[in-house]
Amino acid sequence: DIVMTQTPSSQAVSAGEKVTMSCKSSQSLLYSENKKNYLAWYQQKPGQSPKLLISWASTRESGVPDRFIGSGSGTDFTLTISSVQAEDLAVYYCEQYYDTPDTFGAGTKLELK
Amino acid sequence: EVQLVESGGGLVQPGRSLKLSCAASGFTFSNYGMAWVCQAPTKGLEWVASISTGGGNTYYRDSVKGRFTISRDNAKNTLYLQMDSLRSEDTATYYCARHWAGYWYFDFWGPGTMVTVSS
């Protein structure tokens, strides 16, 4: 199985800060035939189900604010929140769907400083 | 509006069975692959099983193969998960989720149903 490693496990932030979190995969998620990275990001707020933010490593879902930016390729990926808002406090998970079983990282929890 | 609503969770003894249901609405259910994803208390997300649009192809994580069965009824817009020989480590919230366009990420999730396996 492809192992997904997310760092940090938690991060204390203040509103307005720029935040970056990392997701690394144990093998490349870049499919050579279509040049796409099979990597998604989800946001899970307390007591809620996960919400898809980004697919294909960098494609924002409809309605997701443009302060959420996905980047990276191959085995190294980053989710950046350009200016954190209070409603962004949540756990963020990356997921690879390059191979079966699809696997998730352990998550990065954003907390208030 | 896409809606997925799970039901059927509860407290069950080890070795017993439980059947989860997921009622779908707001989209053409038969056009989408579907899945179950679980989350143990205070833990991360773990894919459990997936099923193709017509139900002919099913996929399971190794730890549930032979014990869980995913199925669907496209006439009723409903997804199921039959869970047999339950173990304490199956305790989790189970989410119904929709695969997007044949790819294995999940574009919509239900609110989840809690399964507790304990004597």
Side-chain angles (χ1 to χ4, degrees):
Chain A
D1 297 1
I2 297 176
V3 177
M4 306 298 290
T5 303
Q6 288 187 247
T7 55
S9 56
S10 65
Q11 190 168 3
V13 299
S14 301
E17 268 188 54
K18 178 181 177 180
V19 169
T20 61
M21 60 191 78
S22 171
C23 173
K24 295 183 187 295
S25 57
S26 60
Q27 66 183 72
S28 177
L29 305 183
L30 179 61
Y31 188 45
S32 56
E33 291 197 12
N34 59 13
K35 301 292 189 286
K36 286 178 176 281
N37 286 282
Y38 284 52
L39 188 284
W41 289 95
Y42 301 87
Q43 175 194 63
Q44 187 176 33
K45 296 182 179 180
Q48 296 185 17
S49 55
K51 173 189 173 184
L52 177 65
L53 294 178
I54 288 169
S55 57
W56 308 111
S58 60
T59 302
R60 261 191 311 274
E61 290 299 297
S62 174
V64 174
D66 58 7
R67 62 180 180 272
F68 290 92
I69 302 162
S71 62
S73 184
T75 61
D76 291 349
F77 301 90
T78 300
L79 177 66
T80 300
I81 308 174
S82 59
S83 177
V84 167
Q85 305 301 303
E87 63 262 31
D88 300 336
L89 299 180
V91 180
Y92 293 84
Y93 295 96
C94 61
E95 177 219 4
Q96 67 79 19
Y97 48 101
Y98 181 91
D99 194 19
T100 304
D102 55 316
T103 47
F104 294 85
T108 292
K109 184 176 184 179
L110 286 190
E111 301 171 302
L112 265 180
K113 192 177 287 183
Chain B
E1 178 193 4
V2 172
Q3 284 202 326
L4 299 170
V5 180
E6 304 91 340
S7 61
L11 174 63
V12 61
Q13 293 179 328
R16 305 298 291 261
S17 298
L18 206 59
K19 187 171 186 176
L20 307 183
S21 299
C22 170
S25 61
F27 65 102
T28 304
F29 181 68
S30 58
N31 285 353
Y32 290 85
M34 298 295 296
W36 291 95
V37 180
C38 73
Q39 185 171 35
T42 72
K43 299 294 186 184
L45 301 164
E46 193 170 75
W47 169 76
V48 175
S50 290
I51 188 167
S52 60
T53 53
N57 295 305
T58 56
Y59 311 86
Y60 301 92
R61 68 177 304 106
D62 285 348
S63 62
V64 307
K65 279 180 186 173
R67 299 189 301 122
F68 290 10
T69 304
I70 188 171
S71 63
R72 63 191 298 161
D73 185 334
N74 286 343
K76 295 182 177 179
N77 292 339
T78 303
L79 177 72
Y80 302 101
L81 184 67
Q82 177 67 45
M83 310 168 75
D84 298 324
S85 303
L86 281 161
R87 306 167 180 169
S88 58
E89 54 264 37
D90 297 320
T91 294
T93 296
Y94 285 76
Y95 297 103
C96 167
R98 189 178 83 169
H99 284 297
W100 185 85
Y103 292 100
W104 281 49
Y105 65 90
F106 310 101
D107 65 344
F108 282 98
W109 300 61
T113 187
M114 181 69 195
V115 173
T116 302
V117 184
S118 175
S119 53

